[in-house]
Amino acid sequence: MIRHIVLFTWTEEATDEQKARVVTELGKLPGQIPQLRSYTAGADVGVNQGTWDFAVVADFDNVDDYLVYRDDPGHQAVIAEHIKPIVAGRAAVQMSV
């Protein structure tokens, strides 16, 4: 199994509405991309200082399924239209679990 983890920080100018829209749009992807086995996305709950603002954790059966997700036009549209306009920083890893 492949686990894809992405962390984001948002720009100072990012509005609550824009952040909520990211959650809404990412939440549509499991219904559009059958290769997703598990998908969680959400904002940091603010327990600790120095954390990222938002995380996505997605599980796939194999690398090929991850690549389908990565390159999916709907996924790419969410990135271009809703994430890139408000992202200040991004970190990602794909690992075997």
Side-chain angles (χ1 to χ4, degrees), residues 17-31:
E17 181 179 273
Q18 287 173 303
K19 295 174 197 177
R21 187 65 180 213
V22 169
V23 174
T24 299
E25 296 302 318
L26 287 175
K28 295 175 183 178
L29 295 179

Side-chain angles (χ1 to χ4, degrees), residues 54-75:
F54 192 84
V56 176
V57 179
D59 290 336
F60 305 89
D61 286 338
N62 53 55
V63 171
D64 289 338
D65 285 355
Y66 161 72
L67 294 173
V68 168
Y69 163 81
R70 183 194 70 184
D71 299 336
D72 179 81
H75 177 229

Side-chain angles (χ1 to χ4, degrees), residues 31-46:
Q32 299 171 4
I33 305 171
Q35 289 81 1
L36 282 163
R37 293 294 167 239
S38 174
Y39 197 74
T40 306
D44 180 68
V45 296

